[in-house]
Amino acid sequence: MSEPMRLHYAPDNASLCVRLALEELDLPYETVLVERSTQAHKSPAFLSLNPNGLIPVLETQNGPMFETGAILIWLADTHKRLLPAVDAAERMHAIQWMLWLANTLHPTLRMLFYPDQYAQGDTGPTYRMARIRLAAQLDLLAAVQTAQWLDDDAPSAQGCYLAPMLRWAALYGGGLEWFDLARWPRLLAFAQRAETRAAAVRVAKAEGLGPLPFSAPIPCNPPQGSVL
Ligand SMILES: N[C@@H](CCC(=O)N[C@@H](CS)C(=O)NCC(=O)O)C(=O)O
């Protein structure tokens, strides 16, 4: 029998998206806690898995894989769930939104959370720009017809990516002061649906994310280790 996959994670980090997908797919996996307080994600051992020094990494039978969006697509494709089949008409929009989440929304959040990685010296303008961009991007997402997955009851790779990002927007990078998901009723409804799923309940328990992890998040209190 093959070895289970290993998810290198830190609580409430981008690994959360992958963990949600692994749970939705009901796959066996092990977790390896990456201790951010000691910069373990910049250690030679971790860099040998992901030269970018970023969480997550998923160790698979084919070797280690990084990039949240790519891991989600790969998991969905290899297990034929969470994304439409390659030859299905709906695939086009599903992939379009996956890449938008990975190329547009996620980098905006990173600019909010790590402005020092995007600007030297005064990070204020970068931070303020990221806040404006985030609100505009969520306005766009909430308004488009082609993001049908937002309104579906069925889980999707896009949903596994977006739900944690809505949580982080509310909690980190100053989100507690200004972010209110109620501004986007469609996204709030999405978050409420997402957090009732059994997979999400299991993940929330494992990482100490609280009872309403996506629609009304509270800082995480992970049973297994620290978050930084
Ligand atoms: N593009 C990467 C971004 C992952 C990412 O931003 N990971 C964060 C944790 S949520 C991280 O490792 N941050 C540490 C750093 O930026 O040095 C992906 O999608 O996997």
Side-chain angles (χ1 to χ4, degrees):
M1 217 169 90
S2 61
E3 293 285 306
M5 290 184 278
R6 283 156 62 93
L7 176 64
H8 294 253
Y9 86 107
D12 215 6
N13 278 227
S15 41
L16 177 57
C17 309
V18 176
R19 192 169 195 157
L20 263 181
L22 289 166
E23 289 288 343
E24 284 292 357
L25 294 167
D26 210 11
L27 296 173
Y29 65 97
E30 293 173 353
T31 54
V32 182
L33 180 65
V34 182
E35 193 52 69
R36 289 196 52 171
S37 60
T38 61
Q39 294 282 303
H41 54 304
K42 308 296 181 195
S43 68
F46 190 87
L47 292 174
S48 72
L49 301 171
N50 181 358
N52 300 291
L54 295 172
I55 300 164
V57 167
L58 185 67
E59 284 192 83
T60 78
Q61 278 178 283
N62 306 327
M65 186 171 189
F66 55 82
E67 281 302 315
T68 306
I71 298 171
L72 291 174
I73 291 173
W74 179 79
L75 282 172
D77 283 354
T78 49
H79 296 89
K80 301 193 175 10
R81 282 181 54 207
L82 302 181
L83 277 177
V86 176
D87 54 357
E90 323 83 82
R91 171 84 173 189
M92 183 177 87
H93 286 136
I95 293 294
Q96 166 189 285
W97 285 111
M98 276 304 287
L99 292 190
W100 184 86
L101 292 167
N103 290 344
T104 303
L105 192 62
H106 198 172
T108 298
L109 288 176
R110 280 190 49 85
M111 287 171 75
L112 264 181
F113 304 156
Y114 310 103
D116 53 309
Q117 293 187 20
Y118 295 84
Q120 284 185 325
D122 180 9
T123 54
T126 301
Y127 174 80
R128 285 191 291 278
M129 177 59 72
R131 219 157 112 162
I132 292 166
R133 282 174 61 84
L134 175 62
Q137 288 165 3
L138 294 182
D139 284 348
L140 181 154
L141 178 62
V144 289
Q145 296 298 320
T146 57
Q148 182 55 46
W149 52 274
L150 280 173
D151 314 312
D152 286 347
D153 282 331
S156 64
Q158 305 94 297
C160 291
Y161 208 163
L162 178 65
M165 288 204 274
L166 296 178
R167 170 185 170 80
W168 305 329
L171 283 180
Y172 306 118
L176 286 169
E177 290 158 26
W178 71 281
F179 187 85
D180 181 6
L181 193 55
R183 170 173 163 179
W184 301 278
R186 188 183 183 195
L187 302 184
L188 177 61
F190 160 82
Q192 288 168 333
R193 259 194 312 279
E195 68 200 2
T196 61
R197 298 193 54 77
V201 172
R202 288 195 297 275
V203 168
K205 186 165 179 225
E207 299 201 5
L209 306 181
L212 300 171
F214 306 133
S215 69
I218 53 173
C220 80
N221 182 17
Q224 281 178 294
S226 66
V227 61
L228 266 179

